[in-house]
Amino acid sequence: MKFLSSLGRMGLILVLVVFGISSCTLTSSFIDKLAEDGTHIIQIEAERFQFIPSQIRVRQGERVRLIFRSRDTTHGVAIPEYQIRKDIPPRGKGETIVEFTADKIGSFTYRCSHLCGAGHAMMRGIIVVEP
Ligand SMILES: [Cu+2]
């Protein structure tokens, strides 16, 4: 019994360590940095039917540059709060850059604006603008 519970505890620790490592490598493989001029540059990948990362954080007043790349087919990005709507070319055909100044605090949903398949309507992401 004692042996089993310690085995369970080790398993739990192992899961936490593996999960921690994989989530670290996931986030570190994406660009999220400040350029010399202060522009907040974030790279987002699009695939059926999600944006990765699905949530990004910026500060109010920041100039934000989002670089979208597709992992599969043509997608799109629409951010109604900033009057942005652009297509994202298919994998290997380039990237789509959108820029705006995050002047409003809050959480804003952006979505895919190019019909990409059955889950298209669920393809969304969140931009959190923090004070
Ligand atoms: Cu879509």
Side-chain angles (χ1 to χ4, degrees), residues 49 74-76 112-117 119-121 123:
F49 297 99
T74 302
H75 292 284
C112 179
S113 59
H114 186 102
L115 189 61
C116 56
H120 166 70
M123 190 167 163

Side-chain angles (χ1 to χ4, degrees), residues 39-111:
T39 303
H40 193 161
I41 301 172
I42 302 175
Q43 182 193 322
I44 299 173
E45 297 201 342
E47 69 174 14
R48 294 190 181 100
F49 297 99
Q50 60 179 334
F51 291 102
I52 305 154
S54 61
Q55 183 175 312
I56 59 167
R57 290 176 178 275
V58 299
R59 295 234 170 239
Q60 186 189 24
E62 266 183 342
R63 187 73 189 158
V64 178
R65 182 183 303 152
L66 304 180
I67 304 172
F68 288 90
R69 286 202 190 107
S70 175
R71 289 181 176 180
D72 44 34
T73 185
T74 302
H75 292 284
V77 52
I79 314 174
E81 276 74 16
Y82 295 103
Q83 289 85 46
I84 288 167
R85 189 191 169 108
K86 279 187 171 180
D87 275 358
I88 302 166
R91 180 189 177 92
K93 302 281 182 188
E95 59 196 22
T96 294
I97 296 175
V98 304
E99 279 201 27
F100 58 93
T101 299
D103 48 4
K104 293 160 257 187
I105 293 172
S107 293
F108 305 100
T109 300
Y110 65 93
R111 58 181 176 77

Side-chain angles (χ1 to χ4, degrees), residues 5-57:
S5 76
S6 69
L7 202 72
R9 204 174 304 138
M10 268 172 60
L12 180 68
I13 290 167
L14 192 71
V15 165
L16 288 175
V17 166
V18 169
F19 183 75
I21 290 168
S22 64
S23 63
C24 275
T25 49
L26 264 181
T27 44
S28 64
S29 68
F30 286 95
I31 297 168
D32 186 339
K33 65 176 184 189
L34 290 181
E36 270 179 36
D37 66 358
T39 303
H40 193 161
I41 301 172
I42 302 175
Q43 182 193 322
I44 299 173
E45 297 201 342
E47 69 174 14
R48 294 190 181 100
F49 297 99
Q50 60 179 334
F51 291 102
I52 305 154
S54 61
Q55 183 175 312
I56 59 167
R57 290 176 178 275

